[in-house]
Amino acid sequence: MKKVLVTGAAGFIGSHVAEALVKAGYSVIALDDLSGGCEENVPDGASFVPGSITDYHLVDRLFSEHRFSFVFHLAAYAAEGLSHFIKRFNYENNLIGSVNLINAAVNAGSVECFVFTSSIAVYGRNQVPMTESLVPQPEDPYGIAKYAVEQDLHETLEMFGLNHVIFRPHNVYGERQNIGDPYRNVIGIFMRQILNNQPLTVFGDGLQMRAFSYIDDVAPIIAACIGRPDTWNEVYNIGADQPWTVLELAERVCRAMGQTTPNIHHAEARNEVQIAYSSHDKVKACFGDLIQNIPLDVGINNMATWVKQTPISPGQRFKNIEVAKKMPPEWQRLANKDSAASQT
């Protein structure tokens, strides 16, 4: 039985990937610092190790002890918009932590393939539909960190022969998502606000367009790639094809949660990419038998059923924002509230 390391395995996408790997018969070591996930998400059959990828001593020890055949690196703090204001945290966790894993994989000598979940944030703006042949032009520290890891994996293949697969998912939602996080995952934020009888926060006019990807259209493909060596050393966009505006999304989330009309609060617009959706021709050509194309309403209804039965877990709140200048007022109020609470 081959051993597999899954980082972020107590989180959202990571727990689903770990579950698929356990079902496929792999021995899974699940590493997570529980900053955004919870141990209950780790699937039965996986061995949970609490800890951070920023702890390179722990990472090196795990690789030495287990001689992993495959690595699935999903641990990240994926608050793209907030990354402007938490640069140090972003790069330490999303870039340096990734390098710790790559170093360990090279030194171990046992890793056949390193699977990395990047993001369509690497593309930046004005490049739609986003295709893998485009030259990435990330617009924020989160996208910069993800692209830097991609480049390092390409260099590591050339220098040390470490195979990799890079997936660029986007706007993934579904069961086990942390809906308590106030900075990311708009569907989860909307659902939490509805449960709390709050208006739905929409930044700007709400005409931003995204393609929202249900977890079952993403996790099974990520997990399956290690069994298909002909797909290695490539980059794949992965997720839903159909883009929707944030306002259209709000209507559908409200219906799934039992509300008839969205109560929208239009907050000040953020500095963000307005239209982002990608082409999936490449992943369909290589993983077409696993593509499900689950409709948005079906996925949202599935998630809503789960949310109504699940306690809201707290999201990671940043009490020490590194750069407050130009921070959206909605987030600034959260930071001020945290600051005031820490002084009482």
Side-chain angles (χ1 to χ4, degrees):
M1 184 182 296
K2 292 189 174 183
K3 285 192 174 183
V4 178
L5 174 67
V6 180
T7 71
F12 172 41
I13 302 178
S15 67
H16 286 272
V17 170
E19 183 178 44
L21 291 166
V22 169
K23 290 179 178 178
Y26 293 97
S27 174
V28 175
I29 306 300
L31 177 64
D32 201 293
D33 66 2
L34 302 181
S35 61
C38 57
E39 190 172 347
E40 291 77 11
N41 286 344
V42 178
D44 293 338
S47 298
F48 176 61
V49 177
S52 172
I53 60 173
T54 62
D55 182 352
Y56 65 88
H57 294 295
L58 170 62
V59 169
D60 289 346
R61 178 172 60 80
L62 288 175
F63 276 80
S64 177
E65 288 179 359
H66 295 285
R67 303 290 297 172
F68 298 115
S69 297
F70 301 101
V71 176
F72 285 80
H73 177 29
L74 296 105
Y77 187 64
E80 183 177 354
L82 189 65
S83 67
H84 295 285
F85 312 103
I86 54 169
K87 291 174 179 284
R88 184 185 309 109
F89 181 91
N90 169 72
Y91 290 122
E92 287 176 348
N93 283 269
N94 296 342
L95 176 54
I96 300 302
S98 301
V99 170
N100 291 339
L101 292 164
I102 295 171
N103 283 346
V106 171
N107 287 330
S110 60
V111 177
E112 299 175 37
C113 188
F114 189 108
V115 183
F116 175 57
T117 52
S118 183
S119 168
I120 66 166
V122 303
Y123 290 115
R125 66 185 72 216
N126 301 324
Q127 299 206 85
V128 292
M130 298 165 175
T131 65
E132 294 87 348
S133 61
L134 291 170
V135 176
Q137 299 177 32
E139 293 271 327
D140 51 67
Y142 174 71
I144 292 169
K146 287 292 191 179
Y147 188 43
V149 177
E150 289 190 16
Q151 291 179 304
D152 194 85
L153 284 170
H154 289 304
E155 177 275 331
T156 303
L157 171 64
E158 293 299 319
M159 185 70 184
F160 301 107
L162 178 65
N163 296 309
H164 64 258
V165 182
I166 296 169
F167 288 102
R168 293 173 178 165
H170 52 92
N171 303 100
V172 186
Y173 69 96
E175 297 88 332
R176 299 184 204 150
Q177 192 163 62
N178 184 351
I179 69 167
D181 195 310
Y183 306 105
R184 55 178 174 167
N185 307 323
V186 62
I187 293 177
I189 290 173
F190 283 169
M191 289 184 176
R192 184 189 72 248
Q193 290 175 329
I194 290 170
L195 289 174
N196 292 335
N197 296 313
Q198 298 171 334
L200 308 187
T201 302
V202 172
F203 291 96
D205 58 16
L207 299 181
Q208 306 96 311
M209 297 193 74
R210 301 288 189 272
F212 300 95
S213 309
Y214 186 56
I215 184 63
D216 287 353
D217 277 329
V218 174
I221 294 173
I222 295 175
C225 72
I226 57 174
R228 305 184 183 197
D230 58 327
T231 67
W232 294 359
N233 301 317
E234 296 287 346
V235 178
Y236 302 94
N237 295 334
I238 184 171
D241 293 320
Q242 175 65 47
W244 304 86
T245 69
V246 173
L247 291 179
E248 291 172 330
L249 177 72
E251 293 176 356
R252 283 162 170 77
V253 172
C254 282
R255 285 203 299 266
M257 295 294 290
Q259 279 195 357
T260 55
T261 304
N263 177 15
I264 303 292
H265 164 60
H266 286 273
E268 182 178 320
R270 300 184 306 187
N271 178 23
E272 63 179 327
V273 175
Q274 292 299 300
I275 301 176
Y277 61 93
S278 60
S279 164
H280 303 106
D281 291 345
K282 185 174 179 179
V283 76
K284 290 175 182 176
C286 296
F287 298 92
D289 56 312
L290 300 176
I291 301 292
Q292 299 187 61
N293 287 323
I294 296 169
L296 181 64
D297 287 331
V298 172
I300 290 177
N301 284 331
N302 290 345
M303 182 176 175
T305 299
W306 172 79
V307 164
K308 292 172 184 177
Q309 300 170 353
T310 305
I312 299 176
S313 58
Q316 183 172 7
R317 299 280 288 273
F318 286 89
K319 298 181 179 180
N320 296 301
I321 296 296
E322 299 162 19
V323 179
K325 186 176 182 180
K326 294 188 176 181
M327 192 175 186
E330 296 287 324
W331 292 348
Q332 187 66 60
R333 280 192 283 274
L334 286 174
N336 291 339
K337 184 185 298 183
D338 288 336
S339 177
S342 67
Q343 297 172 15
T344 59

